[in-house]
Amino acid sequence: MKFKRIFIAACLMGALIAGGCSKQQKKSEPVLTKSQVVDQTKKSFKSGEVIQSICLSTDTSTQIVSANTNFGGDPTVFHITNQTTSKGKTQSSEEWINMNNVYLNGRSSWYKAKLDKLSGHTYAELLEAITNNTTMTDPSPKLVKAFKMKRNKNTYTLTADIKDQKLMKDAADPIFGTTGQSAAQEKVFRRVQKYGKYQNMTVKAVVKNKKLTSYNLFINMKLGKLMKVRLGQSYGNFGSHDFLKVPDSALNAKPMPKASTKKGSN
């Protein structure tokens, strides 16, 4: 009888050990195809971070205009740190955008103005450029075909080198149209866009565990014989600002002085 109890206990112990081992053995994830990875980049995202930039350079000088943006909330709110670097000096400004209202951080106070009058672009154009970026959410068949894929375990990297003029123009339009920090600056960018010649565009998307983790595109152009133009759009930290709101300190802003608004829209 004692032997029987020992035998049963041993069998139960063996079953428990076998069960524990079977639970620890995870099924390996199936390898995704390129089209399946591309589908992961198409999924909409409520929030994230993006840096839009325009660099104008010659052999002797460089000017970089960039907008480092956190976006999210419902409706979408944008928190932007603008920077312009030229001749070794950098000027920065902070702003919050809610619908067509922009709140600017002055030296000691916040000021409120209409986005389209101050910057030359609208809230709808900002949404189209950043949260509804069709290069990501609805890539053209030509871009999908150009993608080359590399895999490292559950991380997939898509890269493409594009020279198709229409693809480059379609990707550049929203960057030219929403990176300017004033209406005057945007007019300059529109002239660059009109007379510049597209050379190539590189695109890189990283999907990890079936989620898009980063997306970058850069477009190179030439303007005349001497100037080079480089546009950039770099996304990351998706889902990090789902509940973004304009802080009360900005909402209590003073109206923008008329002279400043007029200066920004020239």
Side-chain angles (χ1 to χ4, degrees):
M1 194 71 173
K2 184 177 180 182
F3 173 80
K4 187 176 180 181
R5 287 199 298 269
I6 294 172
F7 178 79
I8 293 172
C11 290
L12 288 172
M13 185 65 71
L16 288 171
I17 292 171
C21 290
S22 64
K23 287 180 181 178
Q24 289 175 4
Q25 290 176 352
K26 294 182 179 179
K27 291 183 179 179
S28 59
E29 290 287 337
V31 177
L32 302 179
T33 64
K34 187 176 82 168
S35 61
Q36 288 174 321
V37 175
V38 171
D39 285 342
Q40 302 303 320
T41 73
K42 295 180 182 180
K43 293 181 179 179
S44 60
F45 42 85
K46 185 177 179 180
S47 69
E49 299 175 7
V50 60
I51 299 175
Q52 295 197 131
S53 60
I54 299 176
C55 176
L56 310 176
S57 64
T58 64
D59 291 340
T60 58
S61 65
T62 300
Q63 183 181 51
I64 303 173
V65 177
S66 65
N68 192 334
T69 304
N70 299 338
F71 61 91
D74 187 18
T76 303
V77 168
F78 298 92
H79 181 212
I80 305 175
T81 300
N82 293 306
Q83 285 192 333
T84 298
T85 301
S86 180
K87 297 179 180 179
K89 296 182 179 180
T90 299
Q91 293 182 332
S92 301
S93 65
E94 178 191 11
E95 62 187 28
W96 288 87
I97 295 172
N98 183 9
M99 304 302 286
N100 199 38
N101 295 315
V102 56
Y103 305 88
L104 293 168
N105 191 356
R107 290 184 177 179
S108 58
S109 302
W110 285 91
Y111 297 95
K112 178 180 178 181
K114 291 298 181 183
L115 175 64
D116 54 348
K117 291 183 179 180
L118 188 74
S119 68
H121 57 258
T122 66
Y123 177 77
E125 288 172 326
L126 203 56
L127 284 175
E128 192 69 19
I130 293 177
T131 63
N132 300 322
N133 188 323
T134 56
T135 308
M136 298 171 60
T137 60
D138 188 22
S140 74
K142 285 185 178 180
L143 177 55
V144 173
K145 185 178 180 180
F147 273 132
K148 295 180 179 179
M149 186 175 77
K150 289 185 178 180
R151 171 178 169 261
N152 182 11
K153 296 181 181 180
N154 291 330
T155 300
Y156 297 81
T157 303
L158 297 170
T159 56
D161 194 338
I162 302 295
K163 292 187 178 180
D164 183 277
Q165 294 292 306
K166 186 178 186 306
L167 286 183
M168 290 188 284
K169 183 181 182 305
D170 289 346
D173 282 351
I175 303 174
F176 274 124
T178 57
T179 305
Q181 299 165 23
S182 68
Q185 200 173 57
E186 282 219 346
K187 285 181 180 179
V188 172
F189 290 157
R190 290 299 187 186
R191 288 181 64 84
V192 173
Q193 180 184 24
K194 183 177 180 179
Y195 296 108
K197 294 183 178 181
Y198 294 99
Q199 293 184 299
N200 76 303
M201 175 174 74
T202 58
V203 183
K204 180 180 179 181
V206 178
V207 172
K208 185 176 182 180
N209 296 325
K210 297 183 179 180
K211 291 184 179 180
L212 181 66
T213 61
S214 66
Y215 192 97
N216 304 284
L217 68 84
F218 293 95
I219 304 162
N220 293 306
M221 305 174 68
K222 287 195 74 173
L223 183 63
K225 294 182 178 180
L226 299 177
M227 182 167 286
K228 295 178 180 179
V229 184
R230 183 172 172 84
L231 291 80
Q233 205 170 33
S234 299
Y235 285 86
N237 293 327
F238 297 104
S240 57
H241 302 287
D242 285 357
F243 305 100
L244 194 64
K245 291 184 178 180
V246 180
D248 290 340
S249 55
L251 289 174
N252 295 326
K254 304 173 184 178
M256 179 74 75
K258 290 184 178 180
S260 298
T261 304
K262 185 176 180 181
K263 181 180 179 180
S265 49
N266 281 342

